[in-house]
Amino acid sequence: MKISSTSEPLRPDRLLPTANEARTAAAKAGETVAETEKVQLSDLATRLSKLENRFGGDFDAKKVNEVKTALAEGRFTVNADAVAQGLIASVAELLGKKA
């Protein structure tokens, strides 16, 4: 048997049944499914969601274009120390520790 690799990652929406599919399957089995289902997120998921809300969303399109132009022209420099400190701080925050 040959197992081929794929570059496409697994997507939960392709692996798990949707709410409608679950209701249909339950109805066929003679079970009832509530219209509203409750989901409880883990502590890590809650913290990740807060981080996404804090850092996600709006971005400065002008700044993005400036960086893109600097990259194309070869004049963009990376401050490795600042990047490392930022990574350490974000990991510490995710782990619930102060950096």
Side-chain angles (χ1 to χ4, degrees):
M1 175 172 79
K2 181 179 178 183
I3 299 175
S4 60
S5 65
T6 177
S7 61
E8 184 178 343
L10 296 176
R11 292 180 31 191
D13 61 326
R14 292 184 179 171
L15 300 175
L16 301 174
T18 65
N20 286 335
E21 291 171 336
R23 278 191 208 75
T24 302
K28 287 180 182 176
E31 301 171 3
T32 59
V33 177
E35 284 297 318
T36 57
E37 299 172 15
K38 293 182 181 182
V39 175
Q40 183 175 356
L41 298 177
S42 69
D43 183 48
L44 178 59
T46 303
R47 286 189 282 165
L48 287 173
S49 178
K50 287 179 184 177
L51 282 173
E52 182 180 14
N53 291 336
R54 180 176 167 192
F55 296 111
D58 298 334
F59 68 95
D60 186 351
K62 182 178 177 183
K63 180 72 173 175
V64 170
N65 286 331
E66 289 173 4
V67 171
K68 187 186 282 188
T69 302
L71 282 169
E73 294 173 355
R75 53 184 176 82
F76 183 82
T77 58
V78 176
N79 182 343
D81 289 333
V83 172
Q85 290 302 317
L87 286 172
I88 291 169
S90 65
V91 168
E93 185 176 347
L94 285 172
L95 295 174
K97 300 177 184 176
K98 292 185 179 181

Coordinates of all heavy atoms in Angstrom, one line a residue:
M1 N 0.8 -1.2 0.0 CA 0.0 0.0 0.0 C 0.9 1.2 0.0 O 1.8 1.3 0.8 CB -0.9 0.0 1.3 CG -1.7 1.2 1.4 SD -2.9 1.1 2.7 CE -1.9 1.4 4.1
K2 N 0.6 2.2 -0.9 CA 1.4 3.4 -1.0 C 0.7 4.5 -0.2 O -0.5 4.7 -0.4 CB 1.5 3.8 -2.4 CG 2.4 5.0 -2.6 CD 2.5 5.4 -4.1 CE 3.3 6.6 -4.2 NZ 3.4 7.1 -5.6
I3 N 1.4 5.2 0.6 CA 0.9 6.3 1.3 C 1.5 7.6 0.7 O 2.7 7.7 0.8 CB 1.1 6.2 2.8 CG1 0.5 5.0 3.4 CG2 0.7 7.5 3.6 CD1 0.8 4.7 4.8
S4 N 0.7 8.4 0.2 CA 1.3 9.6 -0.4 C 1.0 10.8 0.6 O 0.0 10.8 1.3 CB 0.6 9.9 -1.7 OG -0.7 10.1 -1.6
S5 N 2.0 11.7 0.6 CA 1.9 12.9 1.4 C 1.1 14.0 0.7 O 1.1 14.0 -0.5 CB 3.2 13.4 1.9 OG 3.9 13.8 0.8
T6 N 0.5 14.8 1.5 CA -0.2 15.9 0.9 C 0.3 17.2 1.6 O 0.6 17.2 2.7 CB -1.7 15.8 1.0 OG1 -2.3 17.0 0.5 CG2 -2.1 15.6 2.5
S7 N 0.4 18.3 0.8 CA 0.8 19.5 1.4 C -0.3 20.3 2.1 O -0.2 21.2 2.8 CB 1.5 20.4 0.4 OG 0.5 20.7 -0.7
E8 N -1.6 19.8 1.9 CA -2.7 20.4 2.5 C -2.9 19.9 3.9 O -3.0 18.7 4.1 CB -4.0 20.2 1.6 CG -5.2 20.9 2.1 CD -6.4 20.7 1.3 OE1 -6.3 20.2 0.1 OE2 -7.5 21.0 1.7
P9 N -2.9 20.9 4.9 CA -3.1 20.4 6.2 C -4.5 19.9 6.5 O -5.5 20.2 5.7 CB -2.9 21.7 7.1 CG -3.2 22.8 6.1 CD -2.8 22.3 4.7
L10 N -4.7 19.1 7.5 CA -6.0 18.6 7.9 C -6.8 19.8 8.4 O -6.3 20.6 9.2 CB -5.9 17.6 9.0 CG -5.2 16.3 8.6 CD1 -5.1 15.4 9.8 CD2 -5.9 15.6 7.5
R11 N -8.1 19.9 8.0 CA -8.9 20.9 8.4 C -10.1 20.3 9.2 O -10.7 19.4 8.8 CB -9.5 21.7 7.2 CG -8.4 22.5 6.5 CD -9.0 23.2 5.3 NE -10.3 23.6 5.4 CZ -11.1 24.1 4.4 NH1 -10.5 24.2 3.2 NH2 -12.3 24.5 4.6
P12 N -10.3 20.9 10.4 CA -11.4 20.3 11.3 C -12.7 20.3 10.6 O -13.5 19.4 10.8 CB -11.4 21.2 12.5 CG -10.0 21.8 12.5 CD -9.6 21.9 11.1
D13 N -13.0 21.3 9.8 CA -14.3 21.4 9.1 C -14.5 20.2 8.2 O -15.6 19.9 7.8 CB -14.5 22.7 8.4 CG -13.5 23.0 7.3 OD1 -12.4 22.6 7.5 OD2 -13.9 23.6 6.3
R14 N -13.4 19.6 7.7 CA -13.5 18.4 6.9 C -13.6 17.1 7.6 O -13.9 16.1 7.1 CB -12.4 18.4 5.9 CG -12.4 19.5 4.9 CD -11.3 19.4 3.9 NE -11.3 20.5 2.9 CZ -10.4 20.7 2.1 NH1 -9.3 20.0 2.0 NH2 -10.5 21.7 1.2
L15 N -13.1 17.1 8.9 CA -13.1 15.9 9.7 C -14.3 15.7 10.6 O -14.7 14.6 10.8 CB -11.8 16.0 10.6 CG -10.5 16.1 9.8 CD1 -9.4 16.3 10.8 CD2 -10.3 14.9 8.9
L16 N -14.8 16.8 11.1 CA -15.9 16.7 12.0 C -17.2 17.0 11.4 O -17.3 17.9 10.5 CB -15.7 17.6 13.2 CG -14.4 17.4 14.0 CD1 -14.2 18.5 15.0 CD2 -14.4 16.1 14.7
P17 N -18.3 16.3 11.8 CA -19.6 16.6 11.1 C -20.1 18.0 11.6 O -19.8 18.5 12.7 CB -20.5 15.6 11.7 CG -19.9 15.1 12.9 CD -18.4 15.3 12.7
T18 N -20.8 18.7 10.7 CA -21.3 20.0 11.1 C -22.5 19.8 12.0 O -23.0 18.6 12.2 CB -21.8 20.8 9.8 OG1 -22.9 20.0 9.2 CG2 -20.7 21.0 8.8
A19 N -23.0 20.8 12.6 CA -24.2 20.7 13.5 C -25.4 20.1 12.8 O -26.1 19.3 13.3 CB -24.5 22.1 14.1
N20 N -25.6 20.5 11.5 CA -26.7 20.0 10.8 C -26.5 18.5 10.5 O -27.5 17.7 10.5 CB -26.9 20.8 9.5 CG -27.5 22.1 9.7 OD1 -28.2 22.4 10.7 ND2 -27.3 23.0 8.8
E21 N -25.3 18.1 10.1 CA -25.0 16.7 9.9 C -25.2 15.9 11.1 O -25.7 14.8 11.1 CB -23.6 16.5 9.3 CG -23.4 17.1 8.0 CD -21.9 17.1 7.5 OE1 -21.0 17.1 8.4 OE2 -21.7 17.1 6.3
A22 N -24.8 16.4 12.3 CA -25.0 15.7 13.6 C -26.5 15.6 13.9 O -26.9 14.5 14.3 CB -24.3 16.5 14.7
R23 N -27.3 16.6 13.6 CA -28.7 16.5 13.9 C -29.4 15.5 12.9 O -30.2 14.7 13.4 CB -29.4 17.9 13.6 CG -29.3 18.8 14.8 CD -30.2 20.0 14.6 NE -29.7 21.2 15.3 CZ -28.7 21.9 14.9 NH1 -28.0 21.7 13.9 NH2 -28.4 23.0 15.6
T24 N -28.9 15.5 11.7 CA -29.5 14.5 10.7 C -29.2 13.1 11.1 O -30.0 12.2 11.1 CB -28.9 14.8 9.3 OG1 -29.3 16.1 8.9 CG2 -29.5 13.8 8.3
A25 N -27.9 12.9 11.5 CA -27.5 11.5 12.0 C -28.2 11.1 13.2 O -28.7 10.0 13.4 CB -26.0 11.5 12.2
A26 N -28.4 12.1 14.1 CA -29.1 11.7 15.4 C -30.6 11.4 15.1 O -31.2 10.5 15.7 CB -29.0 12.9 16.4
A27 N -31.2 12.2 14.2 CA -32.6 12.0 13.8 C -32.8 10.6 13.2 O -33.8 9.9 13.5 CB -33.1 13.1 12.8
K28 N -31.8 10.2 12.3 CA -31.9 8.9 11.7 C -31.8 7.8 12.8 O -32.4 6.7 12.6 CB -30.8 8.7 10.7 CG -31.1 9.5 9.4 CD -30.0 9.3 8.4 CE -30.2 10.1 7.2 NZ -29.1 10.0 6.2
A29 N -31.0 8.1 13.8 CA -30.8 7.1 14.9 C -31.9 7.1 16.0 O -31.9 6.4 16.9 CB -29.5 7.3 15.6
G30 N -32.9 8.1 15.8 CA -34.0 8.2 16.7 C -33.6 9.0 18.0 O -34.3 9.0 18.9
E31 N -32.5 9.7 17.9 CA -32.1 10.5 19.1 C -32.5 12.0 18.8 O -32.8 12.4 17.7 CB -30.6 10.5 19.2 CG -30.1 9.1 19.5 CD -28.5 9.0 19.4 OE1 -27.9 10.0 19.2 OE2 -28.0 7.9 19.5
T32 N -32.5 12.8 19.9 CA -32.8 14.2 19.8 C -31.5 15.0 20.0 O -30.7 14.6 20.9 CB -33.9 14.6 20.7 OG1 -33.5 14.4 22.1 CG2 -35.2 13.9 20.4
V33 N -31.4 16.1 19.3 CA -30.2 17.0 19.5 C -30.8 18.4 19.8 O -31.7 18.8 19.0 CB -29.3 16.9 18.3 CG1 -28.2 17.9 18.5 CG2 -28.8 15.6 18.0
A34 N -30.3 19.0 20.8 CA -30.8 20.4 21.1 C -30.4 21.3 20.0 O -29.3 21.2 19.3 CB -30.2 20.8 22.4
E35 N -31.2 22.3 19.7 CA -30.9 23.3 18.7 C -29.7 24.1 19.1 O -28.9 24.6 18.2 CB -32.1 24.2 18.4 CG -33.2 23.5 17.6 CD -32.8 23.2 16.2 OE1 -32.1 24.0 15.6 OE2 -33.1 22.1 15.8
T36 N -29.6 24.4 20.3 CA -28.4 25.2 20.8 C -27.5 24.2 21.6 O -27.9 23.5 22.5 CB -28.8 26.4 21.7 OG1 -29.5 25.8 22.8 CG2 -29.6 27.3 20.9
E37 N -26.3 24.2 21.2 CA -25.3 23.3 21.8 C -24.3 24.2 22.6 O -23.9 25.2 22.1 CB -24.6 22.5 20.7 CG -25.5 21.6 20.0 CD -24.9 20.9 18.8 OE1 -23.6 20.9 18.8 OE2 -25.6 20.4 17.9
K38 N -23.8 23.7 23.7 CA -22.9 24.4 24.5 C -21.5 23.8 24.3 O -21.3 22.6 24.2 CB -23.2 24.3 26.0 CG -24.5 25.0 26.3 CD -24.8 24.9 27.8 CE -26.1 25.6 28.1 NZ -26.4 25.6 29.5
V39 N -20.5 24.8 24.2 CA -19.1 24.4 24.0 C -18.3 25.1 25.1 O -18.5 26.2 25.4 CB -18.6 24.8 22.6 CG1 -17.1 24.5 22.5 CG2 -19.4 24.1 21.5
Q40 N -17.4 24.3 25.7 CA -16.6 24.9 26.7 C -15.1 24.8 26.2 O -14.7 23.7 25.9 CB -16.7 24.2 28.1 CG -15.9 24.8 29.2 CD -16.2 24.1 30.5 OE1 -17.0 23.2 30.6 NE2 -15.4 24.5 31.5
L41 N -14.5 26.0 26.2 CA -13.1 26.0 25.7 C -12.2 25.8 26.8 O -12.4 26.1 28.0 CB -12.8 27.4 25.1 CG -13.7 27.8 23.9 CD1 -13.3 29.2 23.4 CD2 -13.5 26.9 22.7
S42 N -11.0 25.2 26.5 CA -10.0 25.0 27.5 C -9.4 26.3 27.9 O -9.6 27.3 27.2 CB -8.9 24.1 27.0 OG -8.2 24.7 26.0
D43 N -8.6 26.3 29.0 CA -8.0 27.6 29.4 C -7.0 28.1 28.4 O -7.0 29.3 28.1 CB -7.2 27.3 30.7 CG -6.6 28.5 31.3 OD1 -7.3 29.6 31.4 OD2 -5.4 28.5 31.7
L44 N -6.3 27.2 27.7 CA -5.3 27.6 26.7 C -6.1 28.2 25.5 O -5.7 29.3 25.0 CB -4.5 26.4 26.2 CG -3.5 26.7 25.1 CD1 -2.5 27.7 25.5 CD2 -2.8 25.4 24.7
A45 N -7.2 27.6 25.1 CA -8.0 28.2 24.0 C -8.5 29.6 24.3 O -8.5 30.5 23.5 CB -9.1 27.2 23.6
T46 N -8.9 29.7 25.6 CA -9.4 31.0 26.0 C -8.3 32.1 26.0 O -8.5 33.2 25.5 CB -10.0 30.9 27.4 OG1 -11.0 29.9 27.4 CG2 -10.6 32.3 27.9
R47 N -7.1 31.7 26.4 CA -6.0 32.7 26.4 C -5.6 33.0 25.0 O -5.3 34.1 24.7 CB -4.8 32.1 27.2 CG -5.0 32.2 28.7 CD -3.8 31.8 29.5 NE -3.7 30.4 29.5 CZ -2.5 29.8 29.8 NH1 -1.5 30.4 30.2 NH2 -2.5 28.5 29.8
L48 N -5.6 32.0 24.1 CA -5.2 32.2 22.7 C -6.2 33.1 22.0 O -5.9 34.0 21.2 CB -5.1 30.9 21.9 CG -3.9 30.0 22.2 CD1 -4.0 28.7 21.5 CD2 -2.6 30.7 21.8
S49 N -7.5 33.0 22.4 CA -8.6 33.8 21.8 C -8.4 35.3 22.3 O -8.5 36.2 21.5 CB -9.9 33.3 22.3 OG -10.9 34.1 21.8
K50 N -8.0 35.4 23.6 CA -7.7 36.8 24.1 C -6.5 37.4 23.3 O -6.6 38.6 23.0 CB -7.5 36.8 25.6 CG -8.7 36.5 26.4 CD -8.4 36.4 27.9 CE -9.7 36.1 28.7 NZ -9.4 36.0 30.1
L51 N -5.5 36.6 23.1 CA -4.3 37.2 22.4 C -4.7 37.5 21.0 O -4.2 38.6 20.4 CB -3.2 36.1 22.4 CG -2.4 36.0 23.7 CD1 -1.4 34.9 23.6 CD2 -1.6 37.3 23.9
E52 N -5.5 36.7 20.3 CA -5.9 37.0 19.0 C -6.7 38.3 18.9 O -6.5 39.1 18.0 CB -6.8 35.9 18.4 CG -7.2 36.1 17.0 CD -8.0 34.9 16.5 OE1 -8.5 34.1 17.2 OE2 -8.2 34.9 15.2
N53 N -7.6 38.5 19.9 CA -8.4 39.7 19.9 C -7.5 40.9 20.2 O -7.7 42.0 19.7 CB -9.5 39.6 21.0 CG -10.6 38.7 20.6 OD1 -10.8 38.4 19.4 ND2 -11.3 38.1 21.6
R54 N -6.5 40.7 21.0 CA -5.6 41.8 21.4 C -4.7 42.2 20.2 O -4.5 43.4 20.0 CB -4.7 41.4 22.6 CG -3.7 42.4 23.1 CD -3.0 41.9 24.3 NE -1.8 42.7 24.6 CZ -0.9 42.4 25.4 NH1 -1.0 41.3 26.1 NH2 0.1 43.2 25.6
F55 N -4.1 41.2 19.5 CA -3.2 41.5 18.5 C -3.8 41.4 17.1 O -3.2 41.9 16.1 CB -2.0 40.6 18.6 CG -1.2 40.8 19.9 CD1 -1.2 39.9 20.8 CD2 -0.5 42.0 20.1 CE1 -0.5 40.1 22.0 CE2 0.2 42.2 21.2 CZ 0.2 41.3 22.2
G56 N -4.9 40.7 16.9 CA -5.4 40.5 15.6 C -6.3 41.7 15.2 O -6.4 42.7 15.9
G57 N -6.8 41.6 14.0 CA -7.8 42.7 13.6 C -7.1 43.7 12.7 O -6.4 43.3 11.7
D58 N -7.3 45.0 13.0 CA -6.8 46.1 12.2 C -5.3 46.0 12.0 O -4.5 45.7 12.9 CB -7.2 47.4 12.8 CG -8.7 47.5 12.8 OD1 -9.4 46.9 12.0 OD2 -9.2 48.3 13.7
F59 N -4.8 46.5 10.9 CA -3.4 46.6 10.6 C -3.2 47.9 9.9 O -4.1 48.5 9.3 CB -2.8 45.4 9.9 CG -3.3 45.3 8.5 CD1 -2.6 45.8 7.4 CD2 -4.5 44.7 8.2 CE1 -3.0 45.7 6.1 CE2 -5.0 44.6 6.9 CZ -4.2 45.1 5.9
D60 N -1.9 48.4 9.9 CA -1.6 49.6 9.2 C -1.1 49.3 7.8 O 0.0 48.9 7.6 CB -0.5 50.3 10.0 CG -0.1 51.7 9.5 OD1 -0.6 52.1 8.4 OD2 0.6 52.4 10.2
A61 N -2.0 49.5 6.8 CA -1.7 49.2 5.4 C -0.5 50.0 4.9 O 0.3 49.5 4.2 CB -2.9 49.5 4.6
K62 N -0.4 51.3 5.4 CA 0.7 52.1 5.0 C 2.1 51.5 5.4 O 3.0 51.4 4.7 CB 0.6 53.5 5.5 CG 1.7 54.4 5.1 CD 1.5 55.8 5.6 CE 2.6 56.7 5.2 NZ 2.4 58.1 5.8
K63 N 2.1 51.0 6.7 CA 3.3 50.4 7.2 C 3.6 49.1 6.5 O 4.8 48.8 6.2 CB 3.1 50.1 8.7 CG 4.3 49.5 9.4 CD 5.4 50.4 9.6 CE 6.5 49.8 10.4 NZ 7.7 50.7 10.5
V64 N 2.6 48.3 6.2 CA 2.8 47.1 5.4 C 3.4 47.4 4.1 O 4.4 46.7 3.6 CB 1.5 46.3 5.3 CG1 1.6 45.1 4.3 CG2 1.0 45.8 6.6
N65 N 2.9 48.4 3.4 CA 3.5 48.8 2.1 C 4.9 49.3 2.2 O 5.8 49.0 1.4 CB 2.6 49.8 1.4 CG 1.4 49.2 0.8 OD1 1.3 48.0 0.5 ND2 0.3 50.0 0.8
E66 N 5.2 50.0 3.3 CA 6.6 50.5 3.5 C 7.6 49.3 3.7 O 8.7 49.3 3.1 CB 6.6 51.4 4.7 CG 6.0 52.8 4.5 CD 5.9 53.6 5.8 OE1 6.4 53.1 6.8 OE2 5.3 54.7 5.8
V67 N 7.1 48.3 4.5 CA 8.0 47.2 4.7 C 8.2 46.4 3.5 O 9.3 45.9 3.1 CB 7.4 46.3 5.9 CG1 8.1 45.0 6.0 CG2 7.4 47.1 7.2
K68 N 7.1 46.2 2.7 CA 7.1 45.5 1.4 C 8.1 46.1 0.5 O 8.9 45.5 -0.2 CB 5.7 45.4 0.8 CG 5.7 44.5 -0.4 CD 4.3 44.6 -1.1 CE 3.3 43.8 -0.4 NZ 2.0 43.8 -1.1
T69 N 8.0 47.5 0.4 CA 9.0 48.2 -0.5 C 10.4 48.1 0.0 O 11.3 47.8 -0.8 CB 8.6 49.7 -0.5 OG1 7.2 49.8 -1.0 CG2 9.5 50.5 -1.5
A70 N 10.6 48.2 1.3 CA 12.0 48.1 1.9 C 12.5 46.7 1.6 O 13.7 46.5 1.3 CB 11.9 48.3 3.4
L71 N 11.7 45.6 1.7 CA 12.1 44.3 1.4 C 12.5 44.1 -0.1 O 13.6 43.6 -0.4 CB 11.0 43.3 1.7 CG 10.8 42.9 3.2 CD1 9.6 42.1 3.4 CD2 12.0 42.1 3.7
A72 N 11.7 44.7 -0.9 CA 12.0 44.6 -2.4 C 13.2 45.3 -2.8 O 14.0 44.9 -3.6 CB 10.8 45.1 -3.2
E73 N 13.5 46.4 -2.1 CA 14.7 47.2 -2.4 C 15.9 46.7 -1.6 O 17.0 47.3 -1.8 CB 14.4 48.7 -2.1 CG 13.3 49.3 -3.0 CD 12.9 50.7 -2.6 OE1 13.4 51.2 -1.5 OE2 12.1 51.3 -3.3
G74 N 15.8 45.8 -0.7 CA 16.9 45.2 0.0 C 17.4 46.1 1.1 O 18.5 46.0 1.6
R75 N 16.6 47.0 1.6 CA 17.0 47.9 2.7 C 16.3 47.6 4.0 O 16.4 48.4 5.0 CB 16.9 49.3 2.3 CG 15.5 49.8 1.8 CD 15.5 51.2 1.4 NE 14.2 51.5 0.9 CZ 13.1 51.8 1.6 NH1 13.2 51.9 2.9 NH2 11.9 52.1 1.1
F76 N 15.6 46.5 4.1 CA 14.9 46.1 5.4 C 15.9 45.4 6.2 O 16.5 44.4 5.8 CB 13.7 45.3 5.1 CG 12.9 44.9 6.3 CD1 12.0 45.8 6.8 CD2 13.1 43.7 6.9 CE1 11.2 45.5 7.9 CE2 12.3 43.3 8.0 CZ 11.4 44.2 8.5
T77 N 16.0 45.8 7.5 CA 16.9 45.1 8.4 C 16.1 44.6 9.6 O 15.1 45.2 10.0 CB 18.0 46.1 9.0 OG1 17.4 47.2 9.6 CG2 18.9 46.5 7.9
V78 N 16.5 43.5 10.2 CA 15.8 42.9 11.3 C 16.6 43.1 12.5 O 17.8 42.7 12.5 CB 15.5 41.4 11.0 CG1 14.9 40.7 12.2 CG2 14.6 41.2 9.8
N79 N 16.0 43.6 13.6 CA 16.7 43.7 14.9 C 16.4 42.3 15.6 O 15.4 42.1 16.2 CB 16.1 44.8 15.7 CG 16.8 45.0 17.0 OD1 17.5 44.1 17.5 ND2 16.6 46.2 17.6
A80 N 17.4 41.5 15.5 CA 17.3 40.1 16.1 C 17.0 40.1 17.6 O 16.2 39.3 18.1 CB 18.5 39.3 15.7
D81 N 17.7 41.0 18.3 CA 17.5 41.1 19.7 C 16.0 41.4 20.1 O 15.4 40.9 21.0 CB 18.4 42.1 20.4 CG 19.8 41.6 20.4 OD1 20.1 40.4 20.4 OD2 20.7 42.5 20.4
A82 N 15.4 42.4 19.3 CA 14.0 42.8 19.6 C 13.1 41.7 19.3 O 12.1 41.4 20.0 CB 13.7 44.0 18.8
V83 N 13.3 40.9 18.2 CA 12.5 39.8 17.8 C 12.6 38.7 18.9 O 11.6 38.2 19.3 CB 12.9 39.3 16.4 CG1 12.2 38.0 16.1 CG2 12.6 40.3 15.3
A84 N 13.8 38.4 19.3 CA 14.0 37.4 20.3 C 13.3 37.8 21.6 O 12.6 36.9 22.2 CB 15.5 37.1 20.6
Q85 N 13.4 39.0 22.1 CA 12.8 39.4 23.3 C 11.2 39.4 23.2 O 10.5 39.0 24.1 CB 13.2 40.9 23.7 CG 14.7 40.9 24.1 CD 14.9 40.1 25.4 OE1 14.1 40.0 26.3 NE2 16.0 39.3 25.3
G86 N 10.7 39.8 22.0 CA 9.3 39.7 21.8 C 8.8 38.3 21.8 O 7.7 38.0 22.4
L87 N 9.5 37.3 21.2 CA 9.1 35.9 21.2 C 9.1 35.4 22.7 O 8.2 34.7 23.1 CB 10.0 35.1 20.4 CG 9.8 35.2 18.9 CD1 11.0 34.5 18.1 CD2 8.5 34.7 18.4
I88 N 10.2 35.7 23.4 CA 10.3 35.2 24.8 C 9.1 35.8 25.6 O 8.5 35.1 26.4 CB 11.6 35.6 25.4 CG1 12.8 34.8 24.7 CG2 11.6 35.4 26.9 CD1 14.2 35.3 25.0
A89 N 8.8 37.1 25.4 CA 7.7 37.7 26.2 C 6.4 37.1 25.8 O 5.5 36.8 26.7 CB 7.7 39.2 25.9
S90 N 6.1 36.8 24.6 CA 4.9 36.2 24.2 C 4.7 34.8 24.7 O 3.6 34.3 25.1 CB 4.7 36.3 22.6 OG 5.6 35.5 22.0
V91 N 5.8 34.0 24.6 CA 5.8 32.6 25.1 C 5.5 32.6 26.7 O 4.7 31.9 27.2 CB 7.0 31.8 24.8 CG1 7.1 30.5 25.6 CG2 7.1 31.6 23.3
A92 N 6.2 33.6 27.3 CA 6.0 33.7 28.8 C 4.6 34.0 29.1 O 4.0 33.5 30.0 CB 7.0 34.7 29.4
E93 N 4.0 34.9 28.3 CA 2.6 35.3 28.5 C 1.6 34.1 28.3 O 0.7 33.9 29.0 CB 2.2 36.5 27.6 CG 0.8 37.0 27.9 CD 0.5 38.2 27.0 OE1 1.4 38.8 26.4 OE2 -0.7 38.6 27.0
L94 N 1.9 33.3 27.2 CA 1.1 32.2 27.0 C 1.2 31.1 28.1 O 0.2 30.5 28.4 CB 1.5 31.5 25.7 CG 1.1 32.2 24.4 CD1 1.7 31.6 23.2 CD2 -0.4 32.2 24.3
L95 N 2.4 31.1 28.7 CA 2.6 30.1 29.8 C 2.1 30.7 31.1 O 2.2 30.0 32.1 CB 4.0 29.7 29.9 CG 4.6 28.9 28.6 CD1 6.1 28.7 28.8 CD2 3.8 27.6 28.5
G96 N 1.7 31.9 31.1 CA 1.2 32.5 32.4 C 2.3 33.0 33.3 O 2.1 33.1 34.5
K97 N 3.5 33.3 32.7 CA 4.6 33.7 33.5 C 5.0 35.2 33.1 O 4.7 35.6 32.0 CB 5.8 32.8 33.3 CG 5.6 31.4 33.7 CD 6.8 30.6 33.4 CE 6.5 29.1 33.8 NZ 7.7 28.2 33.4
K98 N 5.7 35.9 34.0 CA 6.1 37.2 33.6 C 7.6 37.1 33.2 O 8.4 36.4 33.7 CB 6.1 38.1 34.9 CG 4.6 38.4 35.3 CD 4.6 39.4 36.4 CE 3.1 39.7 36.7 NZ 3.0 40.7 37.8
A99 N 7.9 37.8 32.1 CA 9.2 37.8 31.5 C 10.1 38.7 32.2 O 9.8 39.7 32.8 CB 9.2 38.1 30.0

